[in-house]
Amino acid sequence: MSAAYDRLDREVMITEMMRLGFGGTTCKFLISMYSGDSIKFDINGETTEPLYMTYGVKQGDSFSSTLFNVTSMRVVKAANATRRGLEIGKRLLSLLAFADDKFSITKNPQDHNEMLKLIGRECKQINMKINMEKSKLMRKGGGIEGEILPELEEVKIFKYLGVEIEHKVGVYILQSTMLLREGNK
């Protein structure tokens, strides 16, 4: 996600927190923390009227990544509910997520395409979308004749949260490094 923290819809953030069971005190605190903040510009010695902020979380605030994670929890839950993914130990892994980095794992092209559609639909519910230009595809082998995959750059190695991941895992992987607020390109 590029500038995802800047584009997080505050109203959606509060709605998602309430949907997840966060109650009055927490939501009231966040509403007060994110209400009425504004910026003014000084242009040639003239100060503009305040521009009130309705999107974004505070940069440098250690709580911002938590707010982003809570807001995008619906995407993670929906992906994990598909039962598509890779079993590691006794857990089925379909989607790794931390703030604006998402990492989807599927076993075959059909699951990959379905997961991509599902992530796109769920992101739309929170006014975000996958940036396909920043997303990567990693897979084992040369693919299947006639398979239909999105136009993604194929890679053999990439980093997710600072960890190098190689194509040796034998599954289809979509790394979505960027989600954008719906309507922003």
Side-chain angles (χ1 to χ4, degrees):
M1 295 177 175
S2 174
Y5 286 85
D6 296 335
R7 294 183 172 115
L8 184 64
D9 186 323
R10 294 175 180 181
E11 188 175 318
V12 169
M13 175 182 72
I14 298 297
T15 301
E16 287 299 310
M17 292 189 75
M18 289 172 25
R19 194 176 71 78
L20 290 169
F22 287 85
T25 303
T26 303
C27 290
K28 284 179 187 175
F29 168 74
L30 289 171
I31 290 168
S32 70
M33 184 173 159
Y34 283 101
S35 293
D37 55 338
S38 64
I39 58 173
K40 293 181 182 181
F41 297 95
D42 185 340
I43 302 172
N44 297 327
E46 299 280 326
T47 303
T48 65
E49 293 295 318
L51 176 63
Y52 291 94
M53 310 302 290
T54 58
Y55 287 92
V57 288
K58 299 182 185 299
Q59 301 298 308
D61 185 344
S62 59
F63 195 44
S64 292
S65 60
T66 301
L67 293 173
F68 198 94
N69 286 339
V70 169
T71 304
S72 61
M73 184 64 69
R74 77 179 305 129
V75 178
V76 175
K77 284 185 173 185
N80 288 331
T82 66
R83 306 299 297 158
R84 291 181 169 103
L86 180 65
E87 194 168 316
I88 297 176
K90 295 183 181 197
R91 299 191 72 157
L92 184 69
L93 183 62
S94 300
L95 182 68
L96 297 174
F98 179 77
D100 55 350
D101 287 316
K102 307 288 185 253
F103 180 87
S104 170
I105 302 173
T106 58
K107 294 179 183 177
N108 57 58
Q110 295 81 16
D111 285 355
H112 169 81
N113 287 330
E114 289 303 312
M115 184 68 76
L116 188 58
K117 289 176 193 172
L118 176 117
I119 291 170
R121 280 192 309 268
E122 291 301 319
C123 285
K124 192 171 186 171
Q125 294 296 315
I126 57 172
N127 292 334
M128 297 286 203
K129 69 178 184 177
I130 298 171
N131 181 335
M132 298 303 282
E133 292 176 12
K134 296 280 185 161
S135 297
K136 311 284 185 233
L137 175 69
M138 179 188 295
R139 60 183 171 170
K140 182 178 180 185
I144 300 168
E145 187 176 328
E147 71 180 328
I148 300 171
L149 291 172
E151 294 293 321
L152 297 175
E153 176 188 358
E154 281 197 50
V155 296
K156 297 201 181 289
I157 298 174
F158 67 87
K159 282 190 178 184
Y160 175 74
L161 300 179
V163 176
E164 265 193 12
I165 299 174
E166 296 186 50
H167 75 288
K168 296 176 184 177
V169 294
V171 294
Y172 286 70
I173 299 173
L174 167 69
Q175 180 198 20
S176 301
T177 58
M178 180 182 197
L179 297 181
L180 297 173
R181 194 176 126 256
E182 189 63 39
N184 287 0
K185 301 277 181 201

PDB file of all heavy atoms in Angstrom, residues 122-138:
ATOM      1  N   GLU A 122     -13.376  -7.510  -0.486  1.00  0.00           N
ATOM      2  CA  GLU A 122     -13.319  -7.131   0.930  1.00  0.00           C
ATOM      3  C   GLU A 122     -12.628  -5.787   1.119  1.00  0.00           C
ATOM      4  O   GLU A 122     -13.020  -4.997   1.966  1.00  0.00           O
ATOM      5  CB  GLU A 122     -12.635  -8.224   1.755  1.00  0.00           C
ATOM      6  CG  GLU A 122     -13.438  -9.490   1.864  1.00  0.00           C
ATOM      7  CD  GLU A 122     -14.808  -9.292   2.498  1.00  0.00           C
ATOM      8  OE1 GLU A 122     -14.924  -8.539   3.483  1.00  0.00           O
ATOM      9  OE2 GLU A 122     -15.776  -9.903   2.002  1.00  0.00           O
ATOM     10  N   CYS A 123     -11.610  -5.530   0.324  1.00  0.00           N
ATOM     11  CA  CYS A 123     -10.936  -4.223   0.396  1.00  0.00           C
ATOM     12  C   CYS A 123     -11.899  -3.103   0.017  1.00  0.00           C
ATOM     13  O   CYS A 123     -11.887  -2.032   0.624  1.00  0.00           O
ATOM     14  CB  CYS A 123      -9.712  -4.192  -0.511  1.00  0.00           C
ATOM     15  SG  CYS A 123      -8.305  -5.096   0.140  1.00  0.00           S
ATOM     16  N   LYS A 124     -12.727  -3.362  -0.962  1.00  0.00           N
ATOM     17  CA  LYS A 124     -13.698  -2.353  -1.398  1.00  0.00           C
ATOM     18  C   LYS A 124     -14.644  -1.977  -0.248  1.00  0.00           C
ATOM     19  O   LYS A 124     -15.064  -0.832  -0.136  1.00  0.00           O
ATOM     20  CB  LYS A 124     -14.482  -2.866  -2.601  1.00  0.00           C
ATOM     21  CG  LYS A 124     -15.280  -1.807  -3.293  1.00  0.00           C
ATOM     22  CD  LYS A 124     -15.859  -2.323  -4.592  1.00  0.00           C
ATOM     23  CE  LYS A 124     -16.539  -1.168  -5.313  1.00  0.00           C
ATOM     24  NZ  LYS A 124     -16.940  -1.530  -6.661  1.00  0.00           N
ATOM     25  N   GLN A 125     -14.956  -2.942   0.615  1.00  0.00           N
ATOM     26  CA  GLN A 125     -15.841  -2.686   1.756  1.00  0.00           C
ATOM     27  C   GLN A 125     -15.236  -1.687   2.740  1.00  0.00           C
ATOM     28  O   GLN A 125     -15.968  -1.059   3.500  1.00  0.00           O
ATOM     29  CB  GLN A 125     -16.170  -3.997   2.484  1.00  0.00           C
ATOM     30  CG  GLN A 125     -16.984  -4.972   1.670  1.00  0.00           C
ATOM     31  CD  GLN A 125     -18.353  -4.417   1.351  1.00  0.00           C
ATOM     32  OE1 GLN A 125     -19.040  -3.857   2.203  1.00  0.00           O
ATOM     33  NE2 GLN A 125     -18.767  -4.555   0.107  1.00  0.00           N
ATOM     34  N   ILE A 126     -13.924  -1.565   2.736  1.00  0.00           N
ATOM     35  CA  ILE A 126     -13.277  -0.611   3.642  1.00  0.00           C
ATOM     36  C   ILE A 126     -12.629   0.538   2.860  1.00  0.00           C
ATOM     37  O   ILE A 126     -11.697   1.186   3.317  1.00  0.00           O
ATOM     38  CB  ILE A 126     -12.253  -1.297   4.574  1.00  0.00           C
ATOM     39  CG1 ILE A 126     -11.174  -2.044   3.779  1.00  0.00           C
ATOM     40  CG2 ILE A 126     -12.947  -2.205   5.564  1.00  0.00           C
ATOM     41  CD1 ILE A 126     -10.027  -2.571   4.622  1.00  0.00           C
ATOM     42  N   ASN A 127     -13.142   0.769   1.650  1.00  0.00           N
ATOM     43  CA  ASN A 127     -12.674   1.867   0.785  1.00  0.00           C
ATOM     44  C   ASN A 127     -11.191   1.758   0.434  1.00  0.00           C
ATOM     45  O   ASN A 127     -10.495   2.764   0.362  1.00  0.00           O
ATOM     46  CB  ASN A 127     -12.962   3.230   1.414  1.00  0.00           C
ATOM     47  CG  ASN A 127     -14.426   3.530   1.481  1.00  0.00           C
ATOM     48  OD1 ASN A 127     -15.208   3.017   0.682  1.00  0.00           O
ATOM     49  ND2 ASN A 127     -14.823   4.335   2.447  1.00  0.00           N
ATOM     50  N   MET A 128     -10.723   0.552   0.227  1.00  0.00           N
ATOM     51  CA  MET A 128      -9.346   0.315  -0.185  1.00  0.00           C
ATOM     52  C   MET A 128      -9.371  -0.545  -1.445  1.00  0.00           C
ATOM     53  O   MET A 128     -10.398  -1.106  -1.801  1.00  0.00           O
ATOM     54  CB  MET A 128      -8.561  -0.426   0.901  1.00  0.00           C
ATOM     55  CG  MET A 128      -8.412   0.320   2.188  1.00  0.00           C
ATOM     56  SD  MET A 128      -7.218   1.637   1.988  1.00  0.00           S
ATOM     57  CE  MET A 128      -6.733   1.870   3.668  1.00  0.00           C
ATOM     58  N   LYS A 129      -8.240  -0.665  -2.095  1.00  0.00           N
ATOM     59  CA  LYS A 129      -8.123  -1.594  -3.204  1.00  0.00           C
ATOM     60  C   LYS A 129      -6.674  -2.016  -3.359  1.00  0.00           C
ATOM     61  O   LYS A 129      -5.758  -1.344  -2.903  1.00  0.00           O
ATOM     62  CB  LYS A 129      -8.666  -1.017  -4.500  1.00  0.00           C
ATOM     63  CG  LYS A 129      -7.868   0.098  -5.103  1.00  0.00           C
ATOM     64  CD  LYS A 129      -8.504   0.542  -6.417  1.00  0.00           C
ATOM     65  CE  LYS A 129      -7.665   1.601  -7.085  1.00  0.00           C
ATOM     66  NZ  LYS A 129      -8.206   1.980  -8.369  1.00  0.00           N
ATOM     67  N   ILE A 130      -6.500  -3.151  -4.004  1.00  0.00           N
ATOM     68  CA  ILE A 130      -5.161  -3.663  -4.259  1.00  0.00           C
ATOM     69  C   ILE A 130      -4.552  -2.852  -5.391  1.00  0.00           C
ATOM     70  O   ILE A 130      -5.197  -2.610  -6.404  1.00  0.00           O
ATOM     71  CB  ILE A 130      -5.217  -5.146  -4.661  1.00  0.00           C
ATOM     72  CG1 ILE A 130      -5.810  -5.985  -3.538  1.00  0.00           C
ATOM     73  CG2 ILE A 130      -3.834  -5.654  -5.057  1.00  0.00           C
ATOM     74  CD1 ILE A 130      -6.100  -7.421  -3.934  1.00  0.00           C
ATOM     75  N   ASN A 131      -3.321  -2.472  -5.228  1.00  0.00           N
ATOM     76  CA  ASN A 131      -2.592  -1.822  -6.314  1.00  0.00           C
ATOM     77  C   ASN A 131      -1.844  -2.919  -7.062  1.00  0.00           C
ATOM     78  O   ASN A 131      -0.840  -3.445  -6.589  1.00  0.00           O
ATOM     79  CB  ASN A 131      -1.622  -0.783  -5.773  1.00  0.00           C
ATOM     80  CG  ASN A 131      -0.886  -0.076  -6.887  1.00  0.00           C
ATOM     81  OD1 ASN A 131      -0.724  -0.592  -7.978  1.00  0.00           O
ATOM     82  ND2 ASN A 131      -0.433   1.125  -6.594  1.00  0.00           N
ATOM     83  N   MET A 132      -2.331  -3.281  -8.215  1.00  0.00           N
ATOM     84  CA  MET A 132      -1.757  -4.383  -8.984  1.00  0.00           C
ATOM     85  C   MET A 132      -0.350  -4.059  -9.491  1.00  0.00           C
ATOM     86  O   MET A 132       0.420  -4.966  -9.765  1.00  0.00           O
ATOM     87  CB  MET A 132      -2.670  -4.747 -10.150  1.00  0.00           C
ATOM     88  CG  MET A 132      -4.051  -5.234  -9.705  1.00  0.00           C
ATOM     89  SD  MET A 132      -3.988  -6.641  -8.592  1.00  0.00           S
ATOM     90  CE  MET A 132      -3.673  -7.932  -9.772  1.00  0.00           C
ATOM     91  N   GLU A 133      -0.021  -2.769  -9.601  1.00  0.00           N
ATOM     92  CA  GLU A 133       1.316  -2.397 -10.046  1.00  0.00           C
ATOM     93  C   GLU A 133       2.373  -2.722  -9.001  1.00  0.00           C
ATOM     94  O   GLU A 133       3.525  -2.941  -9.329  1.00  0.00           O
ATOM     95  CB  GLU A 133       1.363  -0.909 -10.399  1.00  0.00           C
ATOM     96  CG  GLU A 133       0.555  -0.570 -11.624  1.00  0.00           C
ATOM     97  CD  GLU A 133       0.516   0.924 -11.908  1.00  0.00           C
ATOM     98  OE1 GLU A 133       1.303   1.677 -11.295  1.00  0.00           O
ATOM     99  OE2 GLU A 133      -0.307   1.328 -12.732  1.00  0.00           O
ATOM    100  N   LYS A 134       1.997  -2.740  -7.743  1.00  0.00           N
ATOM    101  CA  LYS A 134       2.930  -3.035  -6.661  1.00  0.00           C
ATOM    102  C   LYS A 134       2.842  -4.479  -6.187  1.00  0.00           C
ATOM    103  O   LYS A 134       3.597  -4.899  -5.335  1.00  0.00           O
ATOM    104  CB  LYS A 134       2.665  -2.111  -5.465  1.00  0.00           C
ATOM    105  CG  LYS A 134       2.911  -0.655  -5.738  1.00  0.00           C
ATOM    106  CD  LYS A 134       4.373  -0.357  -5.650  1.00  0.00           C
ATOM    107  CE  LYS A 134       4.608   1.134  -5.797  1.00  0.00           C
ATOM    108  NZ  LYS A 134       5.879   1.544  -5.297  1.00  0.00           N
ATOM    109  N   SER A 135       1.904  -5.241  -6.730  1.00  0.00           N
ATOM    110  CA  SER A 135       1.717  -6.630  -6.320  1.00  0.00           C
ATOM    111  C   SER A 135       2.618  -7.535  -7.146  1.00  0.00           C
ATOM    112  O   SER A 135       2.947  -7.229  -8.290  1.00  0.00           O
ATOM    113  CB  SER A 135       0.253  -7.042  -6.505  1.00  0.00           C
ATOM    114  OG  SER A 135      -0.571  -6.258  -5.677  1.00  0.00           O
ATOM    115  N   LYS A 136       3.010  -8.650  -6.557  1.00  0.00           N
ATOM    116  CA  LYS A 136       3.901  -9.610  -7.205  1.00  0.00           C
ATOM    117  C   LYS A 136       3.279 -10.996  -7.179  1.00  0.00           C
ATOM    118  O   LYS A 136       2.479 -11.315  -6.312  1.00  0.00           O
ATOM    119  CB  LYS A 136       5.247  -9.679  -6.472  1.00  0.00           C
ATOM    120  CG  LYS A 136       5.895  -8.354  -6.190  1.00  0.00           C
ATOM    121  CD  LYS A 136       6.518  -7.763  -7.416  1.00  0.00           C
ATOM    122  CE  LYS A 136       7.265  -6.491  -7.077  1.00  0.00           C
ATOM    123  NZ  LYS A 136       6.891  -5.375  -7.867  1.00  0.00           N
ATOM    124  N   LEU A 137       3.690 -11.829  -8.116  1.00  0.00           N
ATOM    125  CA  LEU A 137       3.257 -13.219  -8.172  1.00  0.00           C
ATOM    126  C   LEU A 137       4.485 -14.108  -8.082  1.00  0.00           C
ATOM    127  O   LEU A 137       5.461 -13.903  -8.796  1.00  0.00           O
ATOM    128  CB  LEU A 137       2.519 -13.502  -9.485  1.00  0.00           C
ATOM    129  CG  LEU A 137       2.127 -14.957  -9.723  1.00  0.00           C
ATOM    130  CD1 LEU A 137       1.039 -15.373  -8.732  1.00  0.00           C
ATOM    131  CD2 LEU A 137       1.662 -15.160 -11.144  1.00  0.00           C
ATOM    132  N   MET A 138       4.421 -15.072  -7.184  1.00  0.00           N
ATOM    133  CA  MET A 138       5.480 -16.054  -7.076  1.00  0.00           C
ATOM    134  C   MET A 138       4.828 -17.429  -7.174  1.00  0.00           C
ATOM    135  O   MET A 138       3.809 -17.676  -6.542  1.00  0.00           O
ATOM    136  CB  MET A 138       6.204 -15.931  -5.733  1.00  0.00           C
ATOM    137  CG  MET A 138       7.312 -16.951  -5.567  1.00  0.00           C
ATOM    138  SD  MET A 138       8.009 -16.960  -3.906  1.00  0.00           S
ATOM    139  CE  MET A 138       8.731 -15.358  -3.822  1.00  0.00           C
TER     140      MET A 138
END
